[in-house]
Amino acid sequence: MTKEEILNSLNKEQAEAAGTINGPVLVLAGAGTGKTRVITYRIAYMLASGIAPEQILGMTFTNKAAREMKERLAQLVDPKVAKEVTLGTFHSFCIRLLRKECKKLGYLPGFTIADESDQQGLLKQALGKLGLNGTGISTDMAQSTISNWKNKLWTPEDARRQADTNFDHDVAAVYQEYQELLELQNSLDFDDMLLLVHRLFTDFPETLKKYQERYQYLLVDEYQDTNAAQFTVVRMLCGDRCNLCVVGDDDQSIYSWRGADISNILGFPDQFPGAKVVKLEQNYRSTASILAAANAVIGSNKNRHQKRLWSGLGEGEKVRVVTAKSGELEADFIAAMIRQKMSADPAIRYRDFAVLYRSNHLSRQIETTLRRAAIPYRLVGGQEFYKRREIKDAVAYLKLLVNPRDDQSLLRILGTPPRGLSDKAVTALKLGRSTDNTPMLEQLGTKEFQGQMTSKGANGAAELTSVYRKYQEEFETPGNLVGKIENFLTDVGYLDGLQRIYKDLQDALKRRENVDEFINAIAQFETKYTAENPGEKPTLLEYLESFALLEENDRTEEDTENPDAVTLSSVHASKGLEFPIVFVIAMEQNLFPHERALAEGSEDEELRLFYVAITRARKLLYLSRSKSRFHMGMNKPSSPSRFLDHLGDDVAERAESEELIETVSAADVRKAFEDFFKNLK
């Protein structure tokens, strides 16, 4: 293609972005405005202008994005030429560079990348060597803190200078020891890649100059997601020439918890004087009604580059704000609407639907309802609810209550959270089981066995077995499952131990939310059981039998791999995806926006997250909430999300869930259930 043909294939703003190849350029690409198209056509335009392909460097955040760009570019220009353009993730670029230059930093080219378990082992070793075990600093806390420091380009010396608490001083020492251990083993962790490239460019100016001459034209995709390290490396590579094009959307900056710094895109015109700013506002994805809702929502954020999305795809149906009486009825509404839409239009497939939620634990009720309605689904960015590690751990704790001989459950929970029981103790348990067939839990509670362990291990074993003896008696009486299970999981140390099990506080909090939702499921089981069996109360064994049947169904169904399936996804994981029909559930205060984000003063980012959710929809968008929802085993009233206040009657219609599914008869629903259970036989 000639330069003229390339530009004529784009709209006016896209052509301006693609055709401006010298100097700094900020392309503000709103949702669905053809961002990838602009990047690939811009590279094609540069090649058509005589720029050598090896002088072009494009950096993305995902391998999928890089792969898509390479494929599209190969369709526009000679594939051999396209292959000479450097396109990849930040980390892949850094690895390639370090393989060539790492000897200058004291590494050998055959260095390996330490994974999370490697890092944990090294940090444990560092903590032990420094005598910091038992001081309250876990390997997870150290790992998270050191990662944040590396993303700020801090060395151990920088961390030590900046430390103003005992915790920071201690972790800075751990950082120093950890880094020395990495170097001794000729290993890098993921955060080292950018840190070491920065160090290379800083300590060896001639190396920086070599790469500045090599890569004279830079493109950065999803620029709103860059952190301090990425920004600094890009700026160094630009040099005085500064032929830098960054493409992104500040309205979709939703990863501050991963280190993304929105000021990089907001401050681009100031950081790169003379920068040209091009706004892409024509959306090729959604109807005008959906974009009107998106504009109404994001327009209330003041700290942003002003832009307004518009569409040539027609007005379309208004956004629906739907209220259900409960979380169960909200899920029933979604299942019924899927059936209703597919009945009305045979061209609609399951894959045309997506259900989005702010937190992963909210998928549990939707999964249960879709499974019962025989509607196939797949999860994006997460495991099926009941297959998540923290749920399986909780179930293992409960199974051991009703079956003390269940050694597999004991082995699963023995070190979850850590109780000071060594590998030697586990080996002894296995040996005792094979020698005299004594169940492991029984062995663990004996004075003889505990006498072979350290005092910490003996105490851990004694406490664990004591709690089990107490609650085995309590669970002999049916009923009040939720109260007893909550007390048991607390007393056994699981609920409060989640922060010691998982990498950082945010991860632990999300896992706790999932366990809370699991307890909600038990509460719903108990409520349903008593309603169906007047005068009777369920036992823990009956619940576990019900759960086991659900697990068996999960193992035999192939829905998660079925390409024609409803997509269930957190809003974070849905970024970059689009669907004809989207349901955003649990639009309730403290769920969306999330109460933790509100407490941290991150409402602007929550609003951007809501904007991302809205702009995933192409034709139809439903925003649903329930008047009450199970929380911590209790059905509690909920209030609508304040974000819904941004949607006036001009852009949204409001309705009760029953009003929209009145065409679905009870017989239709009953038949779907009958068909589902018939298929299981």
Side-chain angles (χ1 to χ4, degrees):
M1 296 176 70
T2 65
K3 293 194 297 182
E4 291 73 21
E5 289 172 333
I6 292 169
L7 296 184
N8 289 338
S9 302
L10 305 171
N11 68 33
K12 179 183 175 183
E13 291 75 22
Q14 290 174 336
E16 185 180 10
T20 307
I21 58 178
N22 293 310
V25 180
L26 168 61
V27 181
L28 293 169
T33 58
K35 170 177 67 70
T36 303
R37 181 179 178 85
V38 168
I39 292 174
T40 52
Y41 273 71
R42 178 185 169 87
I43 295 174
Y45 185 85
M46 287 192 283
L47 294 171
S49 300
I51 294 171
E54 61 270 16
Q55 292 183 329
I56 302 171
L57 168 62
M59 288 188 281
T60 71
F61 276 83
T62 66
N63 289 320
K64 179 183 176 183
R67 188 164 54 248
E68 183 180 358
M69 289 179 190
K70 289 175 182 177
E71 291 171 354
R72 290 201 191 184
L73 184 61
Q75 295 170 357
L76 296 176
V77 303
D78 184 337
K80 292 182 180 178
V81 175
K83 199 171 182 179
E84 294 179 33
V85 176
T86 303
L87 285 172
T89 64
F90 275 94
H91 286 125
S92 66
F93 167 74
C94 289
I95 289 174
R96 284 198 300 270
L97 192 152
L98 289 170
R99 292 284 182 209
K100 297 176 182 177
E101 309 290 349
C102 63
K103 286 184 179 179
K104 297 172 182 174
L105 301 174
Y107 290 84
L108 297 173
F111 63 78
T112 55
I113 308 301
D115 63 18
E116 186 171 327
S117 61
D118 295 329
Q119 294 171 47
Q120 290 276 326
L122 292 173
L123 287 167
K124 186 176 181 180
Q125 190 176 336
L127 285 164
K129 187 173 181 180
L130 295 169
L132 293 173
N133 287 328
T135 61
I137 301 176
S138 67
T139 54
D140 292 339
M141 295 164 67
Q143 187 177 26
S144 178
T145 303
I146 292 170
S147 177
N148 289 335
W149 285 342
K150 288 188 176 184
N151 284 330
K152 294 179 182 178
L153 296 174
W154 286 10
T155 64
E157 294 75 19
D158 295 326
R160 195 159 37 243
R161 282 196 300 269
Q162 297 285 346
D164 53 9
T165 66
N166 290 335
F167 172 83
D168 287 345
H169 277 288
D170 288 343
V171 178
V174 173
Y175 181 9
Q176 178 72 54
E177 185 66 30
Y178 166 71
Q179 207 62 23
E180 289 177 2
L181 290 169
L182 277 172
E183 292 179 23
L184 280 173
Q185 297 183 29
N186 198 39
S187 291
L188 317 179
D189 64 23
F190 278 94
D191 297 315
D192 278 329
M193 296 177 198
L194 283 151
L195 181 67
L196 291 177
V197 168
H198 175 260
R199 183 177 141 200
L200 182 72
F201 287 168
T202 301
D203 295 350
F204 301 93
E206 70 283 2
T207 301
L208 172 59
K209 186 175 181 181
K210 179 174 75 172
Y211 285 98
Q212 287 174 338
E213 289 301 315
R214 164 77 186 273
Y215 299 115
Q216 297 187 21
Y217 296 87
L218 277 66
L219 299 100
V220 181
D221 183 27
E222 300 286 7
Y223 189 68
Q224 77 279 351
D225 294 335
T226 53
N227 61 25
Q230 290 156 338
F231 166 79
T232 304
V233 167
V234 167
R235 187 162 192 168
M236 294 176 84
L237 273 172
C238 283
D240 296 332
R241 188 182 290 111
C242 204
N243 292 326
L244 169 66
C245 176
V246 302
V247 184
D249 183 8
D250 51 307
D251 291 334
Q252 297 185 73
S253 179
I254 58 173
Y255 295 116
S256 65
W257 51 277
R258 284 196 326 210
D261 186 351
I262 193 174
S263 68
N264 290 346
I265 192 168
L266 291 177
F268 187 88
D270 297 324
Q271 294 154 352
F272 298 92
K276 185 171 192 174
V277 179
V278 181
K279 298 180 182 179
L280 305 184
E281 297 172 299
Q282 182 176 359
N283 176 288
Y284 294 91
R285 174 189 300 162
S286 308
T287 63
S289 292
I290 291 171
L291 296 184
N295 288 328
V297 165
I298 204 63
S300 63
N301 260 358
K302 304 305 179 187
N303 194 23
R304 62 187 288 262
H305 290 290
Q306 292 298 317
K307 52 190 173 298
R308 189 171 184 83
L309 297 181
W310 62 276
S311 172
L313 299 178
E315 191 67 23
E317 293 188 25
K318 279 188 176 182
V319 172
R320 296 284 182 88
V321 177
V322 182
T323 301
K325 292 180 180 178
S326 69
E328 282 186 282
L329 290 175
E330 178 187 44
D332 289 345
F333 158 73
I334 291 170
M337 286 302 296
I338 290 171
R339 292 288 188 204
Q340 186 169 305
K341 293 296 181 185
M342 293 183 71
S343 297
D345 185 353
I348 294 178
R349 308 291 297 275
Y350 288 120
R351 63 172 174 260
D352 294 330
F353 298 90
V355 182
L356 308 183
Y357 32 80
R358 171 60 179 84
S359 300
N360 280 316
H361 73 276
L362 293 165
S363 74
R364 195 270 310 168
Q365 182 66 65
I366 301 296
E367 289 184 55
T368 300
T369 299
L370 294 185
R371 190 181 295 112
R372 287 174 176 168
I375 294 176
Y377 66 88
R378 67 184 185 93
L379 279 161
V380 173
Q383 300 169 297
E384 287 193 42
F385 183 84
Y386 292 115
K387 292 183 179 179
R388 290 170 181 143
R389 176 185 165 188
E390 61 273 20
I391 304 304
K392 285 185 169 290
D393 289 341
V395 171
Y397 271 107
L398 299 180
K399 286 168 65 179
L400 196 58
L401 271 174
V402 298
N403 180 16
R405 300 178 69 87
D406 187 343
D407 295 334
Q408 291 305 111
S409 289
L410 176 67
L411 290 173
R412 182 179 183 97
I413 59 91
L414 202 53
T416 309
R419 295 184 170 86
L421 296 164
S422 64
D423 291 342
K424 184 178 179 181
V426 174
T427 301
L429 284 174
K430 292 178 179 178
L431 181 62
R433 184 61 147 139
S434 62
T435 302
D436 59 13
N437 208 31
T438 304
M440 292 184 184
L441 184 62
E442 185 179 331
Q443 293 181 58
L444 203 61
T446 64
K447 295 293 184 183
E448 293 78 9
F449 189 88
Q450 293 169 16
Q452 303 171 35
M453 294 185 283
T454 64
S455 58
K456 183 177 180 182
N459 289 337
E463 290 173 5
L464 180 65
T465 52
S466 173
V467 172
Y468 263 98
R469 280 193 292 269
K470 172 186 174 183
Y471 281 92
Q472 281 166 352
E473 292 181 4
E474 288 202 22
F475 276 99
E476 287 177 358
T477 305
N480 190 26
L481 292 183
V482 169
K484 288 189 289 193
I485 287 171
E486 277 190 289
N487 291 338
F488 166 67
L489 291 177
T490 298
D491 289 353
V492 84
Y494 182 60
L495 291 182
D496 294 335
L498 287 168
Q499 190 174 339
R500 290 190 287 141
I501 301 169
Y502 297 103
K503 183 175 180 181
D504 58 26
L505 178 61
Q506 296 300 317
D507 188 21
L509 289 171
K510 288 179 181 177
R511 305 275 185 168
R512 175 60 186 264
E513 286 180 342
N514 289 338
V515 175
D516 290 343
E517 186 63 13
F518 170 65
I519 294 172
N520 290 341
I522 297 172
Q524 289 178 320
F525 166 83
E526 194 167 11
T527 300
K528 186 175 181 180
Y529 183 95
T530 53
E532 294 176 351
N533 303 278
E536 295 184 24
K537 296 178 181 180
T539 64
L540 177 59
L541 179 59
E542 286 172 315
Y543 173 73
L544 289 173
E545 286 176 352
S546 171
F547 181 85
L549 289 173
L550 186 63
E551 282 288 282
E552 183 60 34
N553 292 341
D554 288 343
R555 285 193 291 271
T556 57
E557 291 176 0
E558 298 297 325
D559 291 348
T560 55
E561 297 179 4
N562 187 345
D564 185 26
V566 176
T567 296
L568 307 186
S569 174
S570 69
V571 181
H572 278 105
S574 75
K575 190 170 178 295
L577 304 177
E578 59 183 74
F579 307 91
I581 304 169
V582 170
F583 300 90
V584 184
I585 68 168
M587 290 301 306
E588 295 148 34
Q589 201 61 15
N590 294 328
L591 286 178
F592 203 172
H594 197 284
E595 60 182 340
R596 189 166 61 248
L598 294 176
E600 294 171 353
S602 302
E603 185 167 342
D604 281 1
E605 181 156 331
E606 289 290 290
L607 198 64
R608 293 195 293 270
L609 193 60
F610 184 34
Y611 171 83
V612 167
I614 291 172
T615 53
R616 298 312 93 199
R618 290 166 51 194
K619 295 180 179 179
L620 295 175
L621 174 64
Y622 296 88
L623 307 173
S624 66
R625 73 172 188 91
S626 70
K627 294 179 180 178
S628 66
R629 194 174 295 275
F630 270 96
H631 181 67
M632 296 300 292
M634 298 178 63
N635 199 24
K636 296 182 179 180
S638 58
S639 56
S641 167
R642 69 178 70 170
F643 289 167
L644 296 176
D645 295 340
H646 296 300
L647 303 176
D649 294 340
D650 55 329
V651 297
E653 292 181 349
R654 285 162 169 79
E656 299 291 320
S657 61
E658 299 94 328
E659 298 172 6
L660 299 179
I661 59 173
E662 57 188 5
T663 59
V664 180
S665 68
D668 292 333
V669 176
R670 186 164 55 251
K671 185 177 185 303
F673 277 82
E674 289 172 352
D675 291 343
F676 171 64
F677 288 111
K678 189 185 300 180
N679 291 333
L680 291 179
K681 295 179 181 178

